[in-house]
Amino acid sequence: MRVHEIRLPQDIVVGSGTLNLIGQVCKKLGIHDSAVIVTGPKVKGIAGNRVKEILEESNMNATIHVSAESSIAEAERVRDLIREVKAKVVIGVGGGKSIDIAKLSAFKEGIPFISVPTAASHDGIASPRASLKGLNRPTSMSANPPVAIIADIDLIMKAPYRLLASGCGDIIAKFTAVRDWRLAHKLRGEYYGDYAASLAILSANLVVKHAEYISRRMPESLRTVVEALISCGIAMCIAGSSRPCSGSEHLFSHALDLIAKKPALHGEQCGVGTIMMMYLHGGKWRNIRKTLKLIGAPTTAKELGVSDYEVIKALTIAHKIRPERYTILGESGLSWEAAERVARITGVIE
Ligand code: ZN
């Protein structure tokens, strides 16, 4: 039997005021001395400075790196800083960008990375993969999962609701991602892990079940979404790839990122992609649309802020984004007519 190695986060702390525990968490994990904190210009004032203070209270040196762009070049700059201050850990404090830069730079330097999400907008907060821009296009790279995830609900609650709704779109995407994975297993003999697939589907089902509470912005539902996103990250750790969490709907989102004048948020695009890919899979796409509508996530091109042309174009090139990732789009993808039809039938375009 093929050897399958699973690397998982050691410590997951979710709740009110958990940010204050970061010093203790480092101690528990045997991390001392020096840390690099990667954060964004806005989040620095909201949480980055606070993390530095808490670490210093725990007798650690902490250096803040403010990153404005999510690129591989930025991760390289953080690597230089890690070596300069002899950091023993990198802490990503923020939404997507800071976490991915921290994840990749820590991985390349062979030191642990701690994830401190300030929004529940996508599953990268706990995954072993980093999505960064390099050579003008988004690339997804293998890295280590965070050694710890510290999700402070008080902090995440302050983020705009749009980010949370986007996170729900990224979770709903697991319905079609898992179908694509099964298809690749059946048609291509690709490795398929039932446990990882079930975990991803469990998260998606939780979002469906809690959709109404989420739309009413109840604090407990926020916790559910955060935990579901972390579970999706764990599903990827168990699978050893992003397969349980990323299928044709993600390819559509990546394609839209490449061609749209003004792309929407990752999870928003994945949610709309899930409606259309579920139609192609012959599944209950109307239920997907209903859940997204209830949550207040976009379900149409107009709501995404992209043109009908961009949606159709993205559908026709999605299969080329990661040719090795077999999905319902097949090897040759959708023709213009087929793409237009699926977008029209599902109400994504008018
Ligand atoms: Zn995603």
Side-chain angles (χ1 to χ4, degrees):
M1 201 177 217
R2 209 179 68 144
V3 176
H4 185 78
E5 189 191 353
I6 298 173
R7 275 169 299 171
L8 294 169
Q10 287 180 43
D11 219 340
I12 299 171
V13 195
V14 185
S16 280
T18 54
L19 200 64
N20 295 316
L21 302 174
I22 191 155
Q24 288 173 40
V25 169
C26 284
K27 235 174 238 162
K28 206 160 56 176
L29 294 168
I31 298 165
H32 308 281
D33 305 331
S34 177
V36 164
I37 299 164
V38 180
T39 191
K42 262 195 217 153
V43 181
K44 181 177 182 278
I46 301 166
N49 291 335
R50 181 72 193 121
V51 170
K52 180 175 159 71
E53 274 169 30
I54 300 163
L55 290 175
E56 284 171 350
E57 282 161 21
S58 307
N59 300 319
M60 280 179 78
N61 285 319
T63 312
I64 293 185
H65 174 91
V66 178
S67 56
E69 51 163 39
S70 66
S71 64
I72 294 172
E74 193 68 26
E76 287 301 319
R77 285 191 273 278
V78 174
R79 288 183 69 184
D80 291 340
L81 181 62
I82 294 170
R83 279 183 238 132
E84 192 188 312
V85 301
K86 298 191 174 60
K88 300 288 189 306
V89 65
V90 185
I91 303 172
V93 183
K97 278 183 217 153
S98 304
I99 289 190
D100 279 343
I101 291 166
K103 196 188 287 174
L104 188 68
S105 54
F107 175 67
K108 292 241 170 118
E109 288 302 310
I111 60 172
F113 145 69
I114 295 179
S115 172
V116 183
T118 53
S121 55
H122 61 89
D123 61 22
I125 59 176
S127 76
R129 297 195 72 82
S131 303
L132 291 166
K133 265 195 218 103
L135 305 170
N136 293 325
R137 56 183 295 151
T139 4
S140 172
M141 282 154 289
S142 262
N144 279 330
V147 67
I149 302 152
I150 298 170
D152 191 329
I153 297 295
D154 297 343
L155 202 61
I156 296 169
M157 200 138 60
K158 287 185 195 136
Y161 180 77
R162 184 186 169 196
L163 297 176
L164 181 71
S166 174
C168 293
D170 201 18
I171 300 171
I172 288 285
K174 298 355 172 194
F175 284 126
T176 43
V178 167
R179 281 179 182 242
D180 283 325
W181 194 15
R182 273 196 214 121
L183 198 64
H185 172 62
K186 281 185 193 152
L187 299 181
R188 295 288 187 87
E190 211 181 279
Y191 164 80
Y192 172 80
D194 222 349
Y195 184 83
S198 306
L199 194 57
I201 292 294
L202 178 82
S203 294
N205 279 329
L206 273 176
V207 166
V208 173
K209 191 174 147 196
H210 290 267
E212 209 191 312
Y213 296 112
I214 295 167
S215 70
R216 284 199 245 140
R217 290 150 218 228
M218 309 210 2
E220 269 313 302
S221 66
L222 180 63
R223 190 194 192 101
T224 303
V225 175
V226 170
E227 288 177 349
L229 286 169
I230 295 173
S231 293
C232 291
I234 306 282
M236 286 187 252
C237 291
I238 294 170
S241 78
S242 62
R243 261 295 189 189
C245 296
S246 168
S248 48
E249 74 300 316
H250 269 69
L251 296 179
F252 165 74
S253 171
H254 297 324
L256 213 45
D257 281 337
L258 282 181
I259 57 149
K261 258 189 235 109
K262 206 174 162 281
L265 297 175
H266 169 78
E268 292 178 329
Q269 296 183 163
C270 289
V272 172
T274 307
I275 302 173
M276 296 188 285
M277 300 310 160
M278 192 54 103
Y279 169 80
L280 293 177
H281 271 290
K284 293 181 175 162
W285 60 272
R286 285 187 181 85
N287 288 356
I288 304 286
R289 189 172 66 173
K290 199 171 107 189
T291 302
L292 290 171
K293 267 193 179 155
L294 186 56
I295 289 167
T299 59
T300 64
K302 204 181 259 172
E303 286 167 2
L304 283 177
V306 300
S307 69
D308 292 1
Y309 172 84
E310 286 168 335
V311 165
I312 300 168
K313 179 81 187 161
L315 283 170
T316 61
I317 63 160
H319 66 290
K320 293 183 193 156
I321 301 283
R322 286 183 78 175
E324 77 290 356
R325 176 138 298 185
Y326 190 81
T327 70
I328 191 72
L329 297 168
E331 270 159 9
S332 49
L334 298 183
S335 67
W336 189 271
E337 293 71 30
E340 191 172 358
R341 191 164 55 236
V342 57
R344 214 175 284 285
I345 289 173
T346 54
V348 172
I349 65 170
E350 278 170 22

